[in-house]
Amino acid sequence: KRQSPINASHTLPFSTDTWSNVVPSNPAFSKAGLLAAELLFKTNILDGYGARKVMQPTHLVTTDDPTLVYNVRQITGSSTEVGQSNSGVINALNKYTHIVLPQLDSTATGVYDETKKDTWFLGRFGTSDGVDMRYSEAKGVSTLPPYKDPMNGNVTSRVDGAWVFRICGARGMVMSNGSGS
């Protein structure tokens, strides 16, 4: 059975256990939400046999919603603990590379979707033990016949092709849709 990469009950190939990469209660991004995602990373990333995998997230991925980006930069970007009266308390949450994906809050056809504006992920990307993403070429690059514009005579050389990164295994990624439910 094929499941979405983000799922509350991933099945394991060699165990009857399941694992979840949805942050409990889908919290909006905040210090508490980020700590809940870190705890999920620590306790619920399992290998195929149901044994806990030790993995540290490296990236924080969000939409480009201005409030969400501001909150991320305020909480993770400052050198001291946000909201502390003691400015000497070091911020322990400034350890992630922040990636902003402008189309993360859109439908499959690219239309803005208000319900996805607060979506955020923690992930371990770019390492052999993190999210299993692979480059795939859905359609090889090929040339098409040139197009001549009848209005101005311009000739356009055309190519066709498609390539994407596909998530083959989402172990190493946890998500919150920020809805609080």
Side-chain angles (χ1 to χ4, degrees), residues 86-104:
N86 179 358
S87 62
V89 178
I90 295 173
N91 183 3
L93 298 174
N94 63 358
K95 56 190 170 187
Y96 301 110
T97 301
H98 183 202
I99 299 173
V100 177
L101 298 177
Q103 294 295 314
L104 187 58

Side-chain angles (χ1 to χ4, degrees), residues 44-103:
N44 209 31
I45 303 296
L46 307 176
D47 69 8
Y49 297 97
R52 189 169 63 104
K53 265 186 87 84
V54 176
M55 210 180 277
Q56 295 295 319
T58 56
H59 292 76
L60 177 62
V61 181
T62 67
T63 68
D64 64 349
D65 179 73
T67 302
L68 179 57
V69 171
Y70 174 83
N71 289 339
V72 167
R73 291 187 177 152
Q74 182 183 38
I75 290 170
T76 65
S78 61
S79 59
T80 61
E81 180 74 25
V82 175
Q84 286 283 344
S85 58
N86 179 358
S87 62
V89 178
I90 295 173
N91 183 3
L93 298 174
N94 63 358
K95 56 190 170 187
Y96 301 110
T97 301
H98 183 202
I99 299 173
V100 177
L101 298 177
Q103 294 295 314

Side-chain angles (χ1 to χ4, degrees), residues 15-29:
S15 170
T16 57
D17 292 337
T18 61
W19 62 279
S20 171
N21 59 354
V22 177
V23 180
S25 302
N26 282 304
F29 185 83

